[in-house]
Amino acid sequence: MESARGPPRVKNKAAAPIQISAEQLLREAVDRQETGIQAPTQRFADLEELHEFQGRKRKGFEDYVRRNRINMNNWMRYAAWELEQKEFKRARSIFERALDVDATSVVLWIRYIEAEMRNRNINHARNLLDRAVTILPRVDKLWYKYVYMEEMLGNIPGTRQVFERWMEWEPDEAAWGAYIKLEKRYGEYERARAIFERFTIVRPEPRNWIKWAKFEEEFGTSDLVREVFGAAVEALGDEFVDERLFIAYARFEAKLKEYERARAIYKYALDRLPRSKSMGLHKAYTTFEKQYGDKDGVEDVVLSKRRRIYEDQIKENPKNYDIWFDYARLEETAGDLDRVRDVYERAVAQIPPTQEKRHWRRYIYLWIFYALWEEMEAKDIARARQIYKLCLDLIPHKKFTFAKVWLLKAQFEIRQGELTAARKSLGQAIGMCPKDKLFKGYVELELKLFEFVRCRTLYEKHIEWNPANCQTWIKFSELERGLDDLERTRAIFELAINQPVLDMPELLWKAYIDFEEEEGEYDKTRDLYERLLEKTDHVKVWISYAHFEINIPEEEEEEAEDGSEERPVSEEAKARARKVFERAYKSMKEKDLKEERVSLLNAWLSFERTHGSEEDVEKVQKQMPRKTKRRRRLEDDTFEEYIDYVFPADDEQRQDISKMLAMASAWKEGGGSFT
């Protein structure tokens, strides 16, 4: 049974309190090994036995290297064994044979060189290093080994000579750094300076110039540091110069308390470098101003940074109006009126390239913000009025217009007390380029002034221009109803519903019906429902009609017996509503509108559960359909499943037809007689 359960699980997977390493286990195993089972130490009685043993080992090694010549590990093990036997000539022979096989094996060269160095064969090691760097001049490890050996031997001129040979191959920065450190260790600063000069020519990266500047800062003079930085800026040019170079230069000057020099360096760099290459420079300049500048200096550096960003973005895409918005807000916070006007003037000069409204939607807000700023902040009313005029003159009103600009212009004139100018401006807009928003804004203006006659005139013009706008008809009727002129309200509704084209006729009919119902004209409301049903047979209209019949209050009805506010529904109201449901059901059944019949039955069932008896509820429930899944063929000869409804009445009708067909078939088979 235990084998069926599998191996036991480890319950505690936490680390042991005392950790034991593999090395410790091996040492303990060796220490505790019994003497009887230890590996025997091989002893040789005379030289003949030793030579015989060496011969067997050499034969084995020779077999190894003969079978797999390209495996350098066999050669190196062979040579290491000969070195243990103090057979240096044999070991050299093996290394040389291995180099004949693969002279590019760096590990083999290192083992060979270290073997000679370990046995103090310096000249042999030097010759080997010379051969190695000649064959493999791009392997830095061999050069490092060479210069390390020469320096350890105290041969500084020889070390310098090796470095010079190495530098001719233009190695990486670490090699140049090692050469410079050599000269610094022995106080040869002029030589180190000359190496730096060659180094920056071969590797003209900004970080290498910074290294040279730090060297001069430590071992030279401030003038030499400035010369290095100046030479770096001149040599790299605008294309390759880096912000780190200017930051290091400015920090050096700040360290010498030359704050004006440092500030000049920062500004010079910010003017030359693009924003994408000067993020760190801006940050360093900000920190510098916080440390050594005043409040105005800090704000100025922040503003200059943001201005630089916006200018670069505008240079890339002058038609990006969102950047102009941000730029204008920046200058508005700075409070310099001339700068703000300059930005806005430059922004509005970027006219969209085409006369398509989608290209003008963002651009037009530049004019709006400009005019509002002149009015609210700069308090220059004449200039604001001129901006509105220029903006309206610029818009191609024959193709499109912006109602917002006309309305803002009118509101501006009203704030200045120029009501006549405001009306003139809106009248001009309606005459040139009428829009629904313009009419709506003009009416709202006159409503606030209680100029109802003007409102009527505007509504009439609006309806004349766009008779399909249902919202205008509804607002017009609300105005007349608010003025308690019900006949005019009713006349407006009648004109509206008789229009041949309406954008939202359902809202208009609903508003008309709600108006008559709220005014207590229930017969007229019922007549409206009947007229609406002649135009549309929508299920929602029928349901709304039934709910209306339920909610008609009866004059002789009293409040509920328990004193609650809920009014009991009379039997007559229930009968009328039930009659509406029956008419609707019959109409939809004749038109075979299954989903509409289901919605109607659900509403009817809810009505009966609230106001009817159990028999009425059961009667409706019997008419409820059952769902069934069917398949139908699509145009691409594929099939899809859909939900179909099977009504009991339709099912019974189909069964009656089937019975009649069966009886007709039986009559035919019986010779045409049932007797």
Side-chain angles (χ1 to χ4, degrees):
M1 294 298 291
E2 292 181 358
S3 61
R5 287 196 299 266
R9 296 181 179 177
V10 179
K11 295 182 179 180
N12 186 6
K13 296 184 180 180
I18 301 176
Q19 299 292 320
I20 301 175
S21 63
E23 183 182 359
Q24 185 177 354
L25 291 173
L26 292 173
R27 288 182 182 229
E28 289 185 3
V30 172
D31 293 341
R32 297 180 182 180
Q33 194 174 19
E34 296 181 3
T35 309
I37 61 174
Q38 286 182 353
T41 302
Q42 192 168 4
R43 299 180 182 277
F44 303 101
D46 51 15
L47 288 176
E48 186 177 353
E49 289 186 11
L50 176 61
H51 291 160
E52 183 181 355
F53 167 75
Q54 290 175 342
R56 288 197 306 272
K57 291 289 288 184
R58 287 191 182 102
K59 185 177 183 302
F61 280 121
E62 289 293 340
D63 291 339
Y64 286 144
V65 298
R66 185 172 62 253
R67 285 196 295 266
N68 193 356
R69 287 171 55 82
I70 62 174
N71 189 349
M72 292 295 110
N73 290 327
N74 293 335
W75 292 99
M76 287 186 283
R77 280 195 291 268
Y78 191 5
W81 182 81
E82 292 291 357
L83 289 172
E84 290 178 0
Q85 305 301 315
K86 306 299 182 182
E87 295 287 347
F88 301 117
K89 291 184 179 180
R90 287 180 177 272
R92 286 194 193 101
S93 176
I94 294 165
F95 276 122
E96 292 294 337
R97 288 166 61 194
L99 288 174
D100 290 339
V101 175
D102 185 7
T104 62
S105 176
V106 178
V107 178
L108 184 63
W109 281 105
I110 295 297
R111 293 285 182 87
Y112 194 3
I113 294 165
E114 287 180 349
E116 297 292 357
M117 292 173 65
R118 197 178 301 114
N119 293 289
R120 300 181 182 278
N121 296 322
I122 303 302
N123 288 330
H124 280 285
R126 186 178 283 122
N127 292 335
L128 285 173
L129 285 167
D130 187 80
R131 289 169 57 195
V133 298
T134 303
I135 296 172
L136 301 172
R138 291 297 182 185
V139 180
D140 292 340
K141 192 172 184 180
L142 296 172
W143 289 104
Y144 280 120
K145 184 73 72 175
Y146 200 175
V147 296
Y148 174 76
M149 186 190 75
E150 295 292 353
E151 187 175 3
M152 289 298 100
L153 294 173
N155 185 13
I156 305 305
T159 307
R160 192 175 288 119
Q161 187 178 2
V162 174
F163 267 118
E164 288 295 332
R165 288 178 58 191
W166 190 5
M167 295 305 111
E168 290 178 0
W169 290 95
E170 298 182 0
D172 58 8
E173 298 172 7
W176 290 93
Y179 193 7
I180 292 168
K181 287 179 182 177
L182 171 75
E183 301 296 355
K184 286 167 64 177
R185 280 197 296 272
Y186 297 98
E188 297 289 343
Y189 301 123
E190 287 298 328
R191 288 180 178 273
R193 192 172 286 115
I195 296 168
F196 264 119
E197 186 174 355
R198 293 162 55 195
F199 177 33
T200 52
I201 295 173
V202 175
R203 302 283 182 181
E205 284 85 4
R207 61 177 177 274
N208 298 331
W209 290 95
I210 295 173
K211 291 178 183 178
W212 188 5
K214 289 182 178 178
F215 167 80
E216 296 294 355
E217 187 177 351
E218 184 178 358
F219 302 105
T221 62
S222 58
D223 292 335
L224 289 174
V225 177
R226 292 189 180 104
E227 288 180 7
V228 170
F229 279 119
V233 173
E234 184 179 353
L236 294 174
D238 294 341
E239 186 176 356
F240 299 102
V241 74
D242 191 81
E243 61 179 351
R244 292 174 294 175
L245 188 69
F246 290 108
I247 292 172
Y249 193 5
R251 286 177 178 172
F252 167 74
E253 296 291 355
K255 192 184 297 183
L256 297 178
K257 298 183 179 181
E258 295 286 348
Y259 303 127
E260 291 302 322
R261 280 178 176 267
R263 188 174 287 107
I265 292 167
Y266 277 123
K267 291 183 177 180
Y268 174 80
L270 289 172
D271 291 338
R272 297 185 63 179
L273 291 178
R275 182 181 62 88
S276 59
K277 296 182 179 180
S278 60
M279 301 300 290
L281 186 66
H282 279 289
K283 186 176 180 181
Y285 187 22
T286 306
T287 305
F288 168 78
E289 290 292 351
K290 287 179 180 178
Q291 290 178 342
Y292 307 110
D294 52 8
K295 180 181 178 181
D296 294 335
V298 175
E299 291 179 354
D300 182 64
V301 69
V302 173
L303 286 173
S304 64
K305 175 183 176 181
R306 299 304 302 173
R307 287 190 187 109
R308 180 70 178 178
I309 293 172
Y310 291 136
E311 289 291 345
D312 291 341
Q313 292 176 345
I314 289 167
K315 191 179 295 183
E316 293 175 3
N317 185 10
K319 304 295 184 184
N320 190 341
Y321 302 120
D322 291 328
I323 299 173
W324 287 108
F325 293 143
D326 297 337
Y327 198 1
R329 290 192 192 98
L330 175 71
E331 296 298 350
E332 287 177 15
T333 56
D336 191 339
L337 300 182
D338 293 333
R339 278 185 175 273
V340 178
R341 286 196 179 102
D342 179 66
V343 171
Y344 273 122
E345 290 293 336
R346 290 168 57 198
V348 297
Q350 302 298 327
I351 302 173
T354 61
Q355 289 189 352
E356 295 183 21
K357 190 170 184 178
R358 60 190 180 90
H359 294 146
W360 287 65
R361 293 187 188 278
R362 298 294 291 164
Y363 168 73
I364 207 68
Y365 277 96
L366 290 170
W367 287 97
I368 293 172
F369 291 161
Y370 189 12
L372 291 175
W373 178 81
E374 288 287 358
E375 179 190 359
M376 302 298 179
E377 301 295 333
K379 307 297 182 183
D380 194 337
I381 305 303
R383 196 180 186 93
R385 184 177 286 109
Q386 184 183 8
I387 292 168
Y388 278 120
K389 183 179 182 302
L390 291 173
C391 177
L392 291 172
D393 292 342
L394 184 66
I395 299 172
H397 299 290
K398 292 184 179 180
K399 292 188 176 181
F400 59 85
T401 190
F402 290 94
K404 183 183 290 292
V405 180
W406 291 103
L407 294 173
L408 287 173
K409 171 71 163 50
Q411 293 167 6
F412 163 76
E413 296 293 354
I414 290 173
R415 286 193 294 270
Q416 311 310 318
E418 298 290 339
L419 181 58
T420 304
R423 283 177 174 152
K424 184 178 179 181
S425 177
L426 289 174
Q428 181 185 2
I430 291 173
M432 289 177 59
C433 44
K435 287 185 68 176
D436 292 327
K437 287 184 180 179
L438 282 172
F439 282 107
K440 183 180 177 182
Y442 200 173
V443 169
E444 289 177 355
L445 171 64
E446 297 295 351
L447 279 175
K448 291 177 181 177
L449 298 173
F450 299 99
E451 293 286 348
F452 302 117
V453 177
R454 289 179 179 272
C455 292
R456 279 179 180 149
T457 305
L458 288 171
Y459 274 126
E460 290 171 0
K461 289 183 178 180
H462 192 182
I463 290 169
E464 183 180 353
W465 175 72
N466 185 11
N469 192 333
C470 292
Q471 289 290 346
T472 305
W473 290 102
I474 294 171
K475 292 290 184 182
F476 194 5
S477 63
E478 289 177 356
L479 172 68
E480 298 296 349
R481 188 181 180 187
L483 297 174
D484 204 17
D485 195 340
L486 301 183
E487 292 302 322
R488 287 179 68 95
T489 305
R490 197 169 282 112
I492 291 168
F493 274 123
E494 286 295 332
L495 282 173
I497 62 176
N498 289 323
Q499 294 299 317
V501 179
L502 293 170
D503 56 0
M504 291 184 291
E506 64 278 4
L507 292 181
L508 186 61
W509 279 94
K510 185 179 184 304
Y512 194 5
I513 290 170
D514 291 344
F515 161 70
E516 295 290 3
E517 186 177 357
E518 290 170 4
E519 293 296 330
E521 298 290 344
Y522 301 115
D523 292 335
K524 292 183 178 179
T525 307
R526 191 176 291 112
D527 180 61
L528 282 175
Y529 271 116
E530 295 294 339
R531 291 166 62 188
L532 179 58
L533 289 171
E534 292 176 2
K535 292 179 175 291
T536 178
D537 200 19
H538 200 280
V539 64
K540 289 186 178 180
V541 178
W542 286 105
I543 295 172
S544 177
Y545 191 5
H547 289 168
F548 159 73
E549 294 290 357
I550 298 170
N551 295 324
I552 294 178
E554 300 292 341
E555 296 180 0
E556 66 274 8
E557 287 181 356
E558 298 179 356
E559 293 184 355
E561 295 179 359
D562 57 356
S564 61
E565 295 182 358
E566 185 177 356
R567 177 180 53 81
V569 180
S570 67
E571 292 299 327
E572 293 181 4
K574 295 178 185 178
R576 289 196 303 268
R578 195 172 287 116
K579 186 177 179 181
V580 172
F581 278 120
E582 291 172 354
R583 286 176 57 198
Y585 184 76
K586 182 179 178 181
S587 174
M588 292 176 187
K589 182 179 178 182
E590 292 174 354
K591 296 179 180 179
D592 196 21
L593 302 174
K594 293 185 177 182
E595 294 187 1
E596 287 78 359
R597 286 167 71 185
V598 174
S599 300
L600 181 70
L601 286 172
N602 288 328
W604 192 358
L605 183 60
S606 176
F607 161 75
E608 295 294 356
R609 284 174 177 169
T610 306
H611 303 289
S613 62
E614 293 182 1
E615 295 178 358
D616 296 328
V617 173
E618 186 178 357
K619 179 181 177 181
V620 177
Q621 284 180 337
K622 286 181 179 179
Q623 301 182 63
M624 295 296 289
R626 58 183 176 86
K627 290 183 180 180
T628 181
K629 283 187 178 180
R630 297 185 185 275
R631 297 179 66 196
R632 58 187 169 195
R633 185 188 294 272
L634 301 177
E635 294 180 357
D636 56 354
D637 291 335
T638 59
F639 293 89
E640 71 169 358
E641 288 187 351
Y642 68 98
I643 301 297
D644 194 13
Y645 297 96
V646 179
F647 293 85
D650 298 344
D651 203 10
E652 290 176 2
Q653 186 177 0
R654 281 195 296 269
Q655 290 177 3
D656 293 341
I657 294 172
S658 299
K659 288 180 181 180
M660 292 178 64
L661 291 173
M663 291 173 64
S665 178
W667 176 77
K668 183 178 180 181
E669 291 177 359
S673 175
F674 291 104
T675 58

